[in-house]
Amino acid sequence: MKTWQMRRNCALTPKQLLRFYIALVCISATVATGFLLAGVWVILIFTCIELSVVTTGFLIYCRHALDSESIEIDGSRLIVKKFIAYKETVYEFNTKWVKIELPIGDGKTFFISQSNLRIELGQFLRREQQLALISSVRAHLR
């Protein structure tokens, strides 16, 4: 069995982001508490707004941090797995009938198709990586 993995390029894993977020909340809460004790209660409101916005942004980031695509060839089966926003979809093709289409023009993705099923792949790869992947997969199809 041959497998190709394509993953999103993320600066932080969700675990690292959680550690950073906890540190951010602690520092912001400490500063807000200091100002509250000094009699400036308005800072507490802005700290709550700040942390709400940052929390929303981090949740959106975490939702897509683990996105990936994979292609597996096992005998006469080509299996495509897409894990996007914590939802996994699996597609199965016959290696004898599958067709791999190059990106069209300046397209950022390529397609794997068979009869009426057409799957878009390669959104996490640069153009030259896509072409190398396509040639590698085609070599294993024959």
Side-chain angles (χ1 to χ4, degrees):
M1 175 165 43
K2 178 69 176 166
T3 304
W4 294 269
Q5 288 282 335
M6 298 162 279
R7 297 187 184 278
R8 183 178 296 277
N9 186 11
C10 292
L12 297 173
T13 65
K15 187 176 181 179
Q16 292 170 330
L17 187 65
L18 179 63
R19 289 180 183 164
F20 174 75
Y21 177 73
I22 290 171
L24 179 68
V25 168
C26 291
I27 291 170
S28 294
T30 302
V31 170
T33 303
F35 277 102
L36 184 64
L37 294 175
V40 185
W41 58 270
V42 176
I43 299 298
L44 187 62
I45 295 171
F46 285 108
T47 300
C48 290
I49 293 170
E50 168 207 4
L51 291 177
S52 298
V53 170
V54 168
T55 300
T56 303
F58 283 177
L59 287 174
I60 292 169
Y61 176 86
C62 282
R63 182 174 174 93
H64 293 285
L66 299 176
D67 289 358
S68 67
E69 299 171 336
S70 69
I71 300 172
E72 296 177 10
I73 295 181
D74 186 17
S76 64
R77 298 182 326 151
L78 183 139
I79 301 166
V80 175
K81 295 179 184 176
K82 294 181 79 166
F83 186 77
I84 308 292
Y86 293 106
K87 180 183 174 193
E88 184 176 44
T89 51
V90 179
Y91 304 96
E92 189 171 327
F93 300 94
N94 186 326
T95 57
K96 296 175 184 173
W97 301 327
V98 72
K99 180 181 175 188
I100 300 176
E101 303 170 27
L102 291 172
I104 300 168
D106 288 339
K108 298 197 182 261
T109 57
F110 65 94
F111 296 92
I112 294 181
S113 61
Q114 176 182 318
S115 63
N116 62 348
L117 181 59
R118 188 172 191 229
I119 307 302
E120 182 179 26
L121 290 171
Q123 63 183 342
F124 308 127
L125 300 175
R126 293 187 314 268
R127 176 76 173 197
E128 59 273 5
Q129 291 174 316
Q130 283 182 1
L131 297 176
L133 174 73
I134 290 169
S135 65
S136 178
V137 171
R138 282 182 175 164
H140 281 83
L141 288 177
R142 295 185 177 110

